[in-house]
Amino acid sequence: MNRWVYSFGANETAGDASMRDLLGGKGANLAEMSKLGLPVPPGFSITTEVCTHFYKNHNAYPDTLKQQVDKALCLIESEVGCKFGDPKNPLLVSVRSGARVSMPGMMDTVLNLGLNKITVEGLAQKSDDARFAYDSYRRFIQMYGDVVLGIDHYNFEEILDLKKDEAGVTLDTELTSDDLKSLIDAYEEKVSSVTGKAFPQDPVEQLWGAIGAVFSSWMVPRAITYRKLNDIPENWGTAVNIQAMVFGNMGENCATGVAFTRDPSTGENIFYGEYLVNAQGEDVVAGIRTPQHLTKEGKESNKSNLPSMEEVMPQVFDQLKGIRSTLEQHYTDMQDIEFTVQQGKLYMLQTRAGKRTTAAALKIAVDMVDEGLIGSETAISRIEPSSLDQLLHPTLDPDANRKIVARGLPASPGAASGKVVFDADEAERISARGEQVILVRIETSPEDIHGMHAAEGILTTRGGMTSHAAVVARGMGRPCVAGAGELRVDYQAKTIAARDVVIGEGEEITLDGASGDVMVGRVATIQPEMSDNFQRLMKWADDIRCLKVRTNAETPTECRIAREFGAEGVGLCRTEHMFFESDRIIAMREMIVSNNLEQRRVALAKLLPMQKADFHDIFRIMKGLPITIRLLDPPLHEFLPKTDEEIREVAEAAGVAADEVRRRAAQLEEANPMLGHRGCRLGVTYPEISEMQARAIFEAALSVKEEIGEEVHLEIMVPLVATGREIEIIKEVIDRVANDIEKETGDTLKYIVGTMIELPRAALCASEIAKTASFFSFGTNDLTQTAFGLSRDDSGSFSQEYEEQGVFSVDPFVTLDREGVGELVRMAAERGRSVRPDIKLGICGEHGGDPSSIQFCAEIGLDYVSCSPFRVPIARLALAQAAILQK
Amino acid sequence: MNRWVYSFGANETAGDASMRDLLGGKGANLAEMSKLGLPVPPGFSITTEVCTHFYKNHNAYPDTLKQQVDKALCLIESEVGCKFGDPKNPLLVSVRSGARVSMPGMMDTVLNLGLNKITVEGLAQKSDDARFAYDSYRRFIQMYGDVVLGIDHYNFEEILDLKKDEAGVTLDTELTSDDLKSLIDAYEEKVSSVTGKAFPQDPVEQLWGAIGAVFSSWMVPRAITYRKLNDIPENWGTAVNIQAMVFGNMGENCATGVAFTRDPSTGENIFYGEYLVNAQGEDVVAGIRTPQHLTKEGKESNKSNLPSMEEVMPQVFDQLKGIRSTLEQHYTDMQDIEFTVQQGKLYMLQTRAGKRTTAAALKIAVDMVDEGLIGSETAISRIEPSSLDQLLHPTLDPDANRKIVARGLPASPGAASGKVVFDADEAERISARGEQVILVRIETSPEDIHGMHAAEGILTTRGGMTSHAAVVARGMGRPCVAGAGELRVDYQAKTIAARDVVIGEGEEITLDGASGDVMVGRVATIQPEMSDNFQRLMKWADDIRCLKVRTNAETPTECRIAREFGAEGVGLCRTEHMFFESDRIIAMREMIVSNNLEQRRVALAKLLPMQKADFHDIFRIMKGLPITIRLLDPPLHEFLPKTDEEIREVAEAAGVAADEVRRRAAQLEEANPMLGHRGCRLGVTYPEISEMQARAIFEAALSVKEEIGEEVHLEIMVPLVATGREIEIIKEVIDRVANDIEKETGDTLKYIVGTMIELPRAALCASEIAKTASFFSFGTNDLTQTAFGLSRDDSGSFSQEYEEQGVFSVDPFVTLDREGVGELVRMAAERGRSVRPDIKLGICGEHGGDPSSIQFCAEIGLDYVSCSPFRVPIARLALAQAAILQK
């Protein structure tokens, strides 16, 4: 006979914590606590397999379920000494859902089940508290009516409000037992009129109603959506937990509370929690009464006047303290527990791993290693890599009030406050006065760079995660919210119109670059701190990971930060970003709008020394480490002069008529710049550009080599290759320049040439490309765009809808799409290696900083991941976790 | 011992026509003619393997080559009775290159080799014609100097001109033998001064010099480029043909000529050719003398006064006529032959398959089947499918003068002339007066449709092969040249500025939509004719092909044309194109700029009856055949209202403020429309659009079914799918609408739902998508764009450069890229079938009308190809050829 029901309690416990899949998280932990001999009110779990059976068989239960439930109920009865439905001594139970993972959206809880017109009287007598009994029954009808019978709770609240008006009171607790009795009548009447049937009086009928409601709630739309969004398979199902009721509200020797076995904010090894005397769980949540601290220490450090549990119920507290220690030793992790004290007796209602801040998580993990509770691999696995962001940037004080006026894309993490300015020059001017500013633009362009530098944070209303603003801000480590489309910026009026406010220049706003929130006024922030715990854990991580971590960086500052964060090379140095600086943009534009070879050479000659100087600094900083330099890949439209002023500047510099520049700029406009004349296509058609860049790279490398007495590890990367011939052509140019320079200087150059794999065709034809390319770096931003035929900048208008409808379970621009883009990466890696077994393989798209994507890179055996400087620690940790998983 | 040399001639012939790979085309056919006993001057071929050896071994020859050449030379000597280098009776030879296929760019010919200061005197004596001998030597030095010694021919021409001035004559032929002697001295001096060495006098040295020059010419840049452009592998190599000289210029009993065994223009079974008495081949080409006709009939029908060969040399002519018949019987194809008559004796110098017009090719193929020379499969294989275009559209008269002022993209085939107009209304007005017009626009938009209808042809200066103008013109069968970027259109001044002319409104121009040429004035055209031969050949083709041919069509007219051309269904009916009509564009725009569901529903309600009416006609026309209807996939930017007038119209229709429309239109602008909010993304976010379309389709289908008493074969296609979930969502909407209509009408609907595979991810995840999709139609336009990351509209600026540099051997937008895009198609087909073995597979991109791409479709076993109406016959023929190849 299949076992559908698992009991727990003092007399008989069938399950344990390892049976989470079958019993759900809650049920498994209740069983585990029972086994540990902790005081758990007896109960039983109906397994998730019953849920699966239920849906496979048109909402029918397995034949033997009823029998097994009856038996389990008897076990409860015998342990607590009450009987289900007994008029004098009724057993009351709670019914709760419990899936493998906690899942909002499903039915939560029905309490006090087993009460009816008759048993309520028995409860009143037994507890000697009629008000308590009627209130319990009243609450039961309301809960059951809502979640089992489908009667919206406002129906009951209306009646309750009416009753309070009649009685002339404002609080529920002021109602007398008579008031409550008549309220019960009104509730029951309401149930009859809505459902056409009387409120069920038979406790067994009540029980099966509740069980059915839990299983049915697995398929309500909210639950389905939640599962889609969180990648939870439908066939997991939910369990149902039925447990004897205990009451924390039966008098002054009763209490209820929640606790963490360590401080969830700091990770400190102290017992941390709150409780209320003579109360139910709901009362803590409702916030009507101020909760009291568990410990004297907690009370004192929080300057509370209310007595601690340690003082009020010293014996029970001691017992709880013992349980705290038992659970930590047993689970070897910090626990979040719920308990109730009924007439001086302690009952444990829940234990689970406690949520914590990243700082706390680090401290707890490292402390537990020191305490011998866990090993370093477990410690590594306990930290969510992306949560490290919290440690590296200032974050909003979670306790601070905030008024959110819009939400954009979380383009660059960190929090920042400052006065609104709409212009880069203005930003620089005001910040020079020592004031903090937020630069607000519809979108940014290269000439805003100095303003972005000067600002605390950047807000744009257009563009995506890879827009100019986002990329530059991440590089600088400036918080940025991009593409906040709800906001309307009016440059003329110098205002931002938000949902219900208009913000003018000079007013303060706050950005949360980690969430994308835009807030009015200044919101308090917390400064980051790189603790010893952090350094120790990262050391353990480095020891275990198999892939290298490089950084995407193109300025000396970024390179320096990345090296401090542990980067082992530059994986992507975008040479066009070097020209976003305002003193260079004119020469860059001059080059782009050049009409012919001579004009272009003149402009390129101006760029050569600038480019050389940039490389010089970077090479020095990255001494001893490999540096991948990507040749020019300008999204041309980002550089084109647009205003009359810009056109005049470029015309002047180039010595041609403004109309000529305007005409040429118009000619270069593209319908789909993302799919246009960019990347290696520029190098193939204008080899002189690649020549200039190769020369700048090589000359800088030789000069740094002389200075530091060590070879620069050059990896020159050709962008946007789709065919073998393209990289062949560009490599010929690079080799020719190298040859020339070797002849000029008599010195020798060491370098390899490779390519970015960022187009589907390049992935498919990787074996052809690998004939020339010594390395592949996967440019997964563009690869995602082209594989999906979806521009990041244009997907904003429907991406939310796409996630809600379950088209994207995760945003493919954040987490690598394994089925599509991932297969291209895997194919390219295999095909590349088939031709060139020692080909170096890395990833340099945004995905290189995303833990799930990093895990994929480790699975397919790339050599390194490369990410923005602030993501380097995240990548190090994620790679360590991947290595542990692969073991 | 390897055989490097193959002799041919009366005494010994080693090769034959089947040895084209080894002996080259020319050598193989000379051998074949020798074997047939035809009078071929004896000679030998050095094999292509020697060429390969030459390049593999640093330009060295195989050891035994010299010996084999010597032996072959002896064979020639013994057959013609002269000796190489003999002072009295010298053997002279020609040296020619000859690859498997004719290849311009390589060394062509050195004639008269073997002459020197001494043998020239022998030749003079033997021929009794000193002038002939000196002129032959003079020509030899010039040819040899140019192609073997690398002395540019202008060096010799300068000397020749000087000599003519001295002699006071204007024609070469007026120079006396003394003049020629001193010319020879001057030539030899020039050679010495340039090369530092005397002109080689040793015939053997001359011979090896010429052989080396042929092999070296295989790797000159022009030849390399030609091979790249024509997909000719480098390792094929070239052969060298050495053959005894015969002279058509040794007197009045000498002649030289070229002939076709049938008329190459009409295909008529008549002997067609020209000859010149006492002349060399060069003289025919030089055009100084008017060539005479071979036959009396030819002479008469061309009203020539010059005597025919039939009359002048009746015996030789009879022999030639006999050879004509021998060759046709032998090769079973029309031959292009070259011959020389030396002193009354006929020599054959070349035979090869003759080039012909498409009409001629059809007639010859069908005639030869009737004559029992070939079978129908051979006939099918003889017609180049894309050449059928010539038969279906008016074409430029090849003899007409033309002045080309620009070249754009050959966007829609056919030739058209008319007066330039710059405005659609104007086009309509003038054409209503009975005048022919060409509509010239920078680019066209939906509201130009009536003008495009009215015009003979369309010229745009922006946009690619898939631009609005190109797609609509192809659909209408209007010739179109698109994206002629050299032209500058000035709407204000009403002018087109071209290379060196300015063309005003009302002036006539001519477009060649097959070449992309734009010409000033009116160029004569030839009208198409669908001959019986065409019908018969197409019938044979239909009997043998395995894939169906459908058409891309969205108007009743297109459907009608396509059905006439043999289409077996509609493979792509683009529903958005239906809204390009001017009376609908407003409602369409209204729908697009709708701010909310209600507004959109109002606009959609206006579109429903229009859409239904369109479907109604199409369903009726395509009775009995399947029809694939693609749901809305607007490139939004093509529909957005731009001018104030357009915005006003839309605002009025929608009943909202103009500013509101303008704001919304601005909001909908996209950075990369190709990668934006289009295709099924619209359907997922605005299901009401799909609902309207499904309703229109179903209601029209039911009404037509009632009318014709037959089911409409509906295939509803969801565009731009990247994930399984997208098609699932849209299919739910379609099924729901179908269900509603079935309930409303009590009738049943038959339809299947499938998708366009046009994104790399869709191809990779085809097995997921096939769970929902009953068919895949490969949208290879978009698939090419996304696989290459290359927008067709933006690639114009560098695509030529890319072809020249060998990045693209063929334009991937014209011929399917098998390595990249083709692999995606193959993968998707396999994966789709793995989940749904009976999945229907077709192609509906432009490639569906390209013969090479069609062959690929046949290879991977698709079920059908779909192409524009005028390409249907091409596809039928190409599929038949593919079937023959696959046998």
Side-chain angles (χ1 to χ4, degrees), chain A residues 220-236:
Chain A
V220 297
R222 270 202 311 161
I224 293 172
T225 305
Y226 184 87
R227 282 200 296 274
K228 267 195 183 127
L229 293 179
N230 290 278
D231 257 342
I232 300 173
E234 200 163 287
N235 61 14
W236 277 10

Side-chain angles (χ1 to χ4, degrees), chain A residues 178-220:
Chain A
D178 283 344
D179 292 338
L180 290 166
K181 262 175 106 165
S182 84
L183 190 60
I184 288 167
D185 291 341
Y187 275 14
E188 289 187 339
E189 221 163 277
K190 177 50 102 182
V191 170
S192 298
S193 79
V194 174
T195 66
K197 280 194 281 191
F199 184 78
Q201 294 291 311
D202 175 5
V204 174
E205 183 188 344
Q206 290 173 358
L207 180 65
W208 286 101
I211 293 171
V214 171
F215 286 137
S216 300
S217 72
W218 180 250
M219 291 301 280
V220 297

Side-chain angles (χ1 to χ4, degrees), chain A residues 726 761 802 817 823 831, chain B residues 726 761 802 817 823 831:
Chain A
E726 286 166 319
R761 193 186 190 277
Y802 255 47
D817 158 55
E823 182 165 353
R831 292 175 184 193
Chain B
E726 285 166 320
R761 192 185 190 278
Y802 255 47
D817 158 56
E823 181 166 354
R831 294 176 182 192

Side-chain angles (χ1 to χ4, degrees), chain B residues 591 600 604 632 682-683 686-694:
Chain B
M591 195 272 289
R600 213 157 29 242
L604 285 166
L632 201 62
L682 285 169
Y686 305 133
E688 56 279 7
I689 299 177
S690 310
E691 264 168 37
M692 180 281 278
Q693 293 206 287

Side-chain angles (χ1 to χ4, degrees), chain A residues 637-692:
Chain A
H637 67 289
E638 285 196 12
F639 286 103
L640 288 179
K642 284 175 195 87
T643 65
D644 285 348
E645 170 64 11
E646 287 165 8
I647 287 172
R648 197 192 50 70
E649 279 177 353
V650 176
E652 217 163 75
V656 297
D659 270 357
E660 173 65 17
V661 172
R662 189 173 289 113
R663 198 190 56 73
R664 179 79 183 141
Q667 209 176 19
L668 289 173
E669 283 284 354
E670 297 188 301
N672 295 282
M674 200 66 77
L675 306 175
H677 194 183
R678 51 180 281 237
C680 70
R681 294 162 193 167
L682 285 169
V684 170
T685 46
Y686 306 133
E688 57 280 6
I689 298 177
S690 309
E691 266 169 36
M692 179 283 278

Side-chain angles (χ1 to χ4, degrees), chain A residues 671-675 681 684 723 725-726 729 759 761 764 786-789 791 794 802 805 807 817 823 831, chain B residues 671-675 681 684 723 725-726 759 761 764 786-789 791 794 802 805 807 817 820 823 831:
Chain A
N672 295 282
M674 200 66 77
L675 306 175
R681 294 162 193 167
V684 170
T723 66
R725 181 74 186 130
E726 286 166 319
I729 291 171
L759 298 173
R761 193 186 190 277
L764 293 161
T786 45
F788 277 90
S791 137
D794 298 314
Y802 255 47
Q805 296 215 34
V807 177
D817 158 55
E823 182 165 353
R831 292 175 184 193
Chain B
N672 294 282
M674 201 66 77
L675 306 175
R681 294 162 194 168
V684 170
T723 66
R725 180 75 186 129
E726 285 166 320
L759 297 173
R761 192 185 190 278
L764 293 161
T786 44
F788 277 91
S791 137
D794 298 314
Y802 255 47
Q805 297 215 33
V807 177
D817 158 56
E823 181 166 354
R831 294 176 182 192

